[in-house]
């Protein structure tokens, strides 16, 4: 599964794996793909440095990258306290009432409320980059469009390729104009933040719009034949995220989440603003239903919604309150039916890819098999 882009980056397979888990990122690269560590949860620079050190020790010299979340436009002088003050009391009460309805216990006195979605704020992302640029990363990806111009320039000065996610050809063209090296065409089926266009339609549109810039297809891809389809549509690789949530190297904080993922079908996700304030595909739960109910207060814009629900989600996860328990995941969750190693996933991908290519060759009369 090699393309011009995979050869440029020195990887065996044109499979880019996004994951919040260092062990998974390293395993993806060791298996011949390209591991990309998600940085949004690292609010403390030392924590990111610790995990990048770990990857360096376990990646066997293979290339890897980092994914950040930062807006292209800078907002000066806004602190987390300023953002917190914008959250209406009615929304806070809705959270309290919903947690009480399901009997979700409080955190212990002095216990941290877990991950705060401050990684969406530019100053936090910039501290992540100050750390990351001390490491030999080969790719910097941004999930909120093109990163600021000075970040693109800084990456290029260090021979680091820059990728940005796009949900439409229009967004992809903006990325190309901003000097981005790789566009990730992320379809409606994908986990996390997505647009309205399905991967089968979006990928060739983006390829045609930004060529010869390399494009990665993302969303609903979890088999070798889907990789072959993506390359047939003109992509130079695939970007997989959801598939790694149930691998044995993943460190999900809740075994109940893993059980729910393994039991879910492709119709058990919903595109909801409940998590961050922007439409993000995730497991459908009674928590997402509550926020999407027309009788509720409605979600807040990013980053207010993420800050509002951070402690609540920590409590739901800590106490494994299953009706409310969910995670971002794409429609490919229906294929995630067992826990496997990263290497086993790659074995399946490469085997399925070879079978798909053989099938097309037979149809085209190019094979005697």
């Amino acid at each position: 599964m090699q393309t011009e882009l995979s050869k440029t980056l020195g990887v065996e397979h044109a499979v880019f794996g996004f994951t919040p888990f260092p062990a998974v990122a390293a395993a993806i690269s060791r298996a011949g793909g390209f591991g990309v560590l998600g940085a949004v949860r690292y609010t403390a620079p030392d924590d990111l440095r610790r995990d990048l050190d770990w990857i360096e020790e376990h990646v066997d010299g293979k290339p890897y990258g980092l994914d950040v979340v930062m807006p292209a436009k800078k907002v000066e002088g806004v602190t987390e306290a300023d953002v917190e003050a914008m959250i209406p009391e009615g929304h806070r009460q809705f959270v309290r009432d919903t947690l009480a309805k399901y009997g979700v216990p409080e955190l212990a006195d002095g216990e941290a409320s877990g991950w705060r979605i401050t990684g969406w704020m530019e100053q936090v992302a910039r501290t992540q980059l100050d750390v990351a640029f001390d490491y030999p990363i080969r790719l910097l990806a941004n999930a909120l469009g093109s990163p600021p111009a000075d970040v693109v320039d800084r990456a290029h000065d260090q021979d680091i390729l820059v990728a940005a996610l796009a949900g439409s050809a229009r967004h992809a063209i903006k990325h190309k104009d901003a000097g981005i090296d790789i566009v990730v065409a992320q379809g409606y089926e994908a986990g996390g933040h997505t647009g309205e266009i399905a991967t089968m339609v979006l990928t060739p549109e983006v390829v045609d719009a930004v060529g010869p810039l390399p494009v990665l297809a993302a969303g609903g891809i979890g088999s070798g034949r889907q990789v072959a389809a993506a390359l047939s549509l003109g992509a130079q690789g695939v970007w997989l995220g959801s598939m790694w949530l149930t691998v044995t190297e993943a460190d999900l904080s809740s075994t109940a989440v893993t059980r729910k993922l393994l039991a879910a079908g492709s119709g058990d996700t919903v595109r909801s603003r409940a998590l961050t304030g922007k439409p993000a595909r995730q497991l459908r739960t009674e928590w997402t239903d509550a926020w999407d109910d027309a009788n509720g207060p409605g979600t807040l814009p990013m980053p207010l919604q993420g800050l509002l629900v951070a402690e609540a989600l920590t409590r739901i996860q800590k106490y494994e309150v299953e009706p409310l328990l969910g995670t971002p995941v794409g429609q490919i969750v229906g294929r995630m039916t067992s826990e496997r190693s990263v290497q086993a996933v790659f074995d399946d991908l490469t085997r399925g890819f070879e079978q798909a290519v053989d099938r097309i060759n037979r149809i085209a009369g190019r094979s005697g098999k």
Side-chain angles (χ1 to χ4, degrees), residues 1 18 68 94 104 128 131 160 175 179 221 233 238 249 264 328 342:
M1 297 189 291
F18 165 81
V68 297
F94 181 75
V104 182
Q128 295 165 351
V131 172
I160 298 169
H175 295 338
I221 300 171
L233 294 173
V238 295
E249 293 90 345
V342 167

Side-chain angles (χ1 to χ4, degrees), residues 95-153:
V95 171
R96 289 193 287 268
D97 291 345
T98 304
L99 295 177
K101 176 182 176 181
Y102 290 91
V104 182
E106 297 275 356
L107 295 176
D109 289 343
E111 185 175 357
S113 61
W115 174 43
R116 306 281 287 168
I117 306 185
T118 52
W120 305 106
M121 302 177 73
E122 183 186 352
Q123 62 265 36
V124 177
R126 285 187 177 274
T127 63
Q128 295 165 351
L129 292 176
D130 287 340
V131 172
F133 284 135
D134 288 337
Y135 292 81
I137 62 172
R138 294 293 311 281
L139 176 72
L140 174 67
N142 189 37
L144 273 187
S146 305
D150 68 294
V151 172
V152 176
D153 290 341

Side-chain angles (χ1 to χ4, degrees), residues 264-286:
S266 57
D268 292 328
T269 68
V270 64
R271 196 165 158 269
S272 171
R273 297 177 184 268
L275 182 63
T276 68
K278 284 184 177 289
R281 186 171 297 286
Q282 55 204 282
L283 283 178
R284 182 176 180 178
T285 65
E286 293 184 35

Side-chain angles (χ1 to χ4, degrees), residues 24 27 57 65 92 101 131 149 299 309:
V24 177
E57 293 171 3
R92 295 188 187 278
K101 176 182 176 181
V131 172
T299 55
V309 304

Side-chain angles (χ1 to χ4, degrees), residues 26-223:
I28 290 168
S29 290
R30 289 198 309 270
F34 190 98
V36 181
L37 179 68
V40 70
R41 68 191 179 97
Y42 293 97
T43 55
D46 287 346
D47 290 343
L48 178 58
R49 191 177 301 279
R50 176 202 64 216
D51 283 355
L52 288 175
D53 283 340
W54 190 94
I55 289 176
E56 276 290 298
E57 293 171 3
H58 293 84
V59 82
D60 292 349
K62 303 292 180 64
Y64 63 95
L66 191 76
D67 179 277
V68 297
V69 179
M70 63 189 310
K73 295 181 179 179
K74 187 173 185 177
V75 179
E76 299 282 359
V78 178
T79 66
E80 184 179 341
D82 295 330
V83 177
E84 286 271 11
M86 300 176 190
I87 298 174
E89 176 56 30
H91 282 73
R92 295 188 187 278
Q93 187 61 49
F94 181 75
V95 171
R96 289 193 287 268
D97 291 345
T98 304
L99 295 177
K101 176 182 176 181
Y102 290 91
V104 182
E106 297 275 356
L107 295 176
D109 289 343
E111 185 175 357
S113 61
W115 174 43
R116 306 281 287 168
I117 306 185
T118 52
W120 305 106
M121 302 177 73
E122 183 186 352
Q123 62 265 36
V124 177
R126 285 187 177 274
T127 63
Q128 295 165 351
L129 292 176
D130 287 340
V131 172
F133 284 135
D134 288 337
Y135 292 81
I137 62 172
R138 294 293 311 281
L139 176 72
L140 174 67
N142 189 37
L144 273 187
S146 305
D150 68 294
V151 172
V152 176
D153 290 341
R154 187 177 176 188
H156 287 166
D157 287 345
Q158 293 190 212
D159 249 358
I160 298 169
L161 297 180
V162 181
L165 275 65
S168 71
R170 176 172 55 87
H171 292 154
I173 291 170
K174 288 184 178 180
H175 295 338
K176 183 177 181 180
D177 292 343
I180 300 303
D181 304 294
I182 302 167
V183 175
V184 181
Q186 179 165 283
Y188 175 81
E189 306 94 325
H193 297 115
T194 68
E196 302 279 356
I197 306 172
T199 305
M200 180 65 76
V201 175
L202 179 65
T203 301
E205 284 188 354
V206 171
V207 168
D208 291 345
V210 302
L213 213 63
V215 172
L216 302 177
I221 300 171
S223 69

